[in-house]
Amino acid sequence: MFTVSWFLADGTSPDAAPSLQEAQENASQAAGWVEQNWSAWLGAGLRILLILVIAMVLRSLVRRAITRFIARMNRTAQAVDGTALGGLLVNVERRRQRSEAIGSVLRSVASFVILGTAALTILSVLNINLAPLLASAGVAGVALGFGARNLVTDFLSGVFMILEDQYGVGDTVDAGVASGEVIEVGLRVTKLRGDEGEIWYVRNGEVKRIGNKSQGWATAAVDVQVRYDEDLEKARRTILEAGETLAKDEPWNERLWGPVEVLGLDSVTLESMVIRTQAKTMPGKALGVERELRWRIKKAFDEAGIRIVGGIPLEAGAEPGLDPAAGVAAPSALASPDSPKSQSASPIPPPASGAAAGASISK
């Protein structure tokens, strides 16, 4: 039998184990490679550690500054709470929710910017090409924008509504799709309580217009309808006196922002005249002022003897409060309609007794 043996070009067998000298050469090459690159690795690791430390410290400082700023806003709102200025300009719950929403947005933006910049810097230190990564992120952002455009629209609309202070908690608004009192303002959804107690969840992106009835000032308008033959100057003086009395009493002196004005006649008919009266009030308090003003005008008219529409004119010598038709009896149903006496108001005499009737018959 013949045995075939294979040999390499250098005369060694491939099955032969590596010699000790070759192992030493390989080890020395690895040690030399590590010795050449360890300084670069150490420098890169230190730079990455320094970037992380700076990013975390900067993020903590920025978030703490934002938190202190929001807390100062809340303390300012609480300092004027319960005063006339606080009731006029400041709603604590509104300021608190608005400041918390603004603080949440600012903290999120600060964290995203700082940590995102740190991550990109670390990738550049590791010699990673950022162009493909940025291109992929751009494509993902476009896809997210198309897929969740309603969510992005709601979020951006909520951010601008809060920053511009278009409305807040406690305001009465008309959002087009719903109206009511604002009970919560979020970055995506605003909660309104309707007139019947229902709660409306309105997406901020669906709001095309906002009618805020609680900003600036409101108008309390009262129409006073009197008889056509009343003295207008006397009615004007009476209304102005009632308005002056209202402006001096609490709490109406704080809710009225101007004197009660008589604008003049709004309409004139054969039976009545309508006098238009209005006054500037605190936002959201117009309805209560209107009711109280009507109440006082009615009492003042009664004291001044001014009659409203529907009142019966008093005859000379008649006592006020008595009905002139109270003494007129109802017409008789048994009377002949052709007889002139049937139209009189005399009642039918009562029938005679049985004894009297028998005596008359016997005679």
Side-chain angles (χ1 to χ4, degrees):
M1 296 181 63
F2 296 95
T3 303
V4 179
S5 300
W6 297 90
F7 296 93
L8 299 176
D10 56 356
T12 59
S13 175
D15 298 333
S19 62
L20 180 61
Q21 183 179 359
E22 293 176 353
Q24 291 177 354
E25 291 177 357
N26 294 334
S28 61
Q29 291 177 1
W33 183 74
V34 171
E35 184 179 359
Q36 292 176 0
N37 295 289
W38 77 271
S39 59
W41 293 347
L42 181 60
L46 291 177
R47 286 197 295 271
I48 292 174
L49 181 60
L50 182 61
I51 290 171
L52 290 177
V53 171
I54 293 176
M56 297 305 296
V57 172
L58 183 60
R59 177 175 176 268
S60 177
L61 292 177
V62 172
R63 290 174 64 90
R64 184 174 299 178
I66 294 174
T67 303
R68 289 182 178 179
F69 175 72
I70 298 304
R72 183 177 299 176
M73 291 178 59
N74 292 334
R75 286 196 300 269
T76 304
Q78 293 175 0
V80 297
D81 184 29
T83 63
L85 180 63
L88 182 64
L89 300 178
V90 179
N91 186 305
V92 176
E93 182 64 19
R94 169 180 177 171
R95 291 288 298 270
R96 185 188 67 82
Q97 288 202 12
R98 179 171 178 264
S99 60
E100 288 182 356
I102 294 176
S104 176
V105 172
L106 294 178
R107 284 190 290 266
S108 300
V109 171
S111 299
F112 178 78
V113 172
I114 294 173
L115 296 181
T117 304
L120 294 178
T121 307
I122 291 173
L123 293 178
S124 64
V125 170
L126 297 176
N127 296 324
I128 297 177
N129 190 8
L130 298 179
L133 181 62
L134 295 178
S136 302
V139 173
V142 172
L144 181 62
F146 278 105
R149 58 184 181 275
N150 292 333
L151 181 62
V152 175
T153 302
D154 296 340
F155 181 81
L156 293 178
S157 300
V159 170
F160 282 105
M161 285 180 182
I162 293 174
L163 292 179
E164 295 174 0
D165 194 18
Q166 297 180 7
Y167 55 83
V169 175
D171 290 350
T172 301
V173 300
D174 182 2
V177 294
S179 61
E181 181 182 356
V182 180
I183 60 177
E184 184 177 346
V185 179
L187 294 177
R188 193 183 69 87
V189 174
T190 298
K191 294 171 64 175
L192 304 177
R193 183 175 297 279
D195 297 334
E196 298 180 358
E198 70 278 8
I199 295 180
W200 297 95
Y201 293 85
V202 181
R203 288 170 41 198
N204 295 329
E206 293 182 349
V207 179
K208 304 302 180 182
R209 61 173 178 82
I210 287 289
N212 196 330
K213 302 178 182 179
S214 301
Q215 287 183 351
W217 46 268
T219 301
V222 175
D223 291 334
V224 183
Q225 191 172 10
V226 297
R227 294 180 60 86
Y228 69 95
D229 54 351
E230 292 293 339
D231 187 358
L232 290 178
E233 292 299 328
K234 182 179 179 181
R236 180 196 295 270
R237 290 193 304 268
T238 305
I239 293 174
L240 293 178
E241 291 175 358
E244 292 176 358
T245 305
L246 178 66
K248 296 178 182 178
D249 296 340
E250 293 186 356
W252 311 108
N253 54 355
E254 295 182 359
R255 300 179 184 180
L256 275 175
W257 284 11
V260 177
E261 300 178 351
V262 178
L263 301 182
L265 288 178
D266 190 64
S267 65
V268 179
T269 64
L270 295 177
E271 298 179 354
S272 65
M273 299 179 296
V274 177
I275 304 175
R276 172 61 60 91
T277 306
Q278 75 173 24
K280 289 185 178 181
T281 67
M282 182 186 299
K285 303 298 182 181
L287 184 59
V289 173
E290 289 176 358
R291 292 171 176 171
E292 184 66 18
L293 184 58
R294 290 192 189 96
W295 182 283
R296 293 178 182 253
I297 289 176
K298 177 60 173 62
K299 292 178 63 177
F301 275 10
D302 292 344
E303 295 176 357
I306 300 176
R307 295 165 296 174
I308 62 175
V309 174
I312 301 174
L314 298 178
E315 298 179 356
E319 297 182 2
L322 297 179
D323 188 0
V328 180
S332 175
L334 301 179
S336 174
D338 298 332
S339 174
K341 295 183 180 181
S342 62
Q343 300 179 2
S344 62
S346 59
I348 300 176
S353 61
S360 61
I361 292 174
S362 61
K363 290 180 181 180

